[in-house]
Amino acid sequence: MREIHRANGGALLQFLRNLVASGASHTAEDLVQETMLRAWRNLDAVPVEAESQRRWLFTVARRLAIDAYRKRQSRPVEVSLVDTEPAASGLESAETVIAELTLQHAVGGLSAAHRSVLRELYVEGHTLDETATRLGVPVGTVKSRAHYATRQLRDALMGA
């Protein structure tokens, strides 16, 4: 088995890396191991002649790759643990809810004029001139309302 692996392992790995998705070198390595395991289990069926032996191993490896591909297609996509974020703890969730409620309360405490300026500037993304035109007030009024509204929000949030 060592001689079979030494003579064919590298070529099998390269062959399988070309068959599996890029970035899935671990899958190619697993398939090489499975190919060698099949060869070990069926050692009497593995040809002795080098070229025939290589053809036999590549056929087994190709079939294993096809089976692995079909298996992946029949189930949901696997997600790496590295890609997942840990779930928020109860404390983090509670803090988020409290922050959201505090912000809603602070925005609710603003006058309608102040809220409309903040909505135009920061939610809608309009410029000072566009906001002034849309609200029908001078640009200086927009600046003043934005200043006082953000200061009131900051004070409400920092005092919380």
Side-chain angles (χ1 to χ4, degrees):
M1 272 312 298
R2 284 186 186 155
E3 182 59 31
I4 292 173
H5 188 272
R6 186 195 61 72
N8 300 293
L12 277 172
L13 183 59
Q14 186 61 37
F15 172 71
L16 289 167
R17 280 185 178 154
N18 291 329
L19 287 181
V20 298
S22 61
S25 64
H26 64 281
T27 303
E29 292 167 2
D30 291 346
L31 291 171
V32 169
Q33 288 180 355
E34 183 63 28
T35 301
M36 291 300 166
L37 184 62
R38 297 264 175 108
W40 179 67
R41 287 182 181 160
N42 301 294
L43 201 51
D44 56 327
V46 178
V48 177
E49 197 269 324
E51 191 60 36
S52 298
Q53 185 179 81
R54 183 168 278 217
R55 270 196 300 270
W56 188 91
L57 290 169
F58 274 69
T59 300
V60 170
R62 183 176 47 81
R63 288 178 180 164
L64 288 170
I66 291 168
D67 290 347
Y69 174 79
R70 288 177 180 160
K71 189 175 183 181
R72 280 192 310 275
Q73 297 305 311
S74 67
R75 66 178 179 189
V77 175
E78 295 177 7
V79 177
S80 170
L81 291 178
V82 176
D83 297 337
T84 59
E85 294 181 18
S89 68
L91 181 59
E92 290 171 340
S93 297
E95 288 175 357
T96 302
V97 169
I98 291 170
E100 287 177 8
L101 290 174
T102 303
L103 181 60
Q104 286 176 359
H105 181 69
V107 170
L110 295 174
S111 69
H114 287 113
R115 272 195 312 272
S116 63
V117 166
L118 292 182
R119 181 177 39 257
E120 290 292 326
L121 290 172
Y122 301 113
V123 176
E124 301 295 329
H126 295 287
T127 65
L128 290 170
D129 291 330
E130 292 170 338
T131 300
T133 302
R134 290 173 64 87
L135 296 178
V137 296
V139 173
T141 303
V142 171
K143 290 179 182 179
S144 174
R145 287 179 183 172
H147 170 76
Y148 286 111
T150 54
R151 189 168 76 176
Q152 185 177 343
L153 286 177
R154 182 183 60 239
D155 291 344
L157 294 174
M158 295 311 240

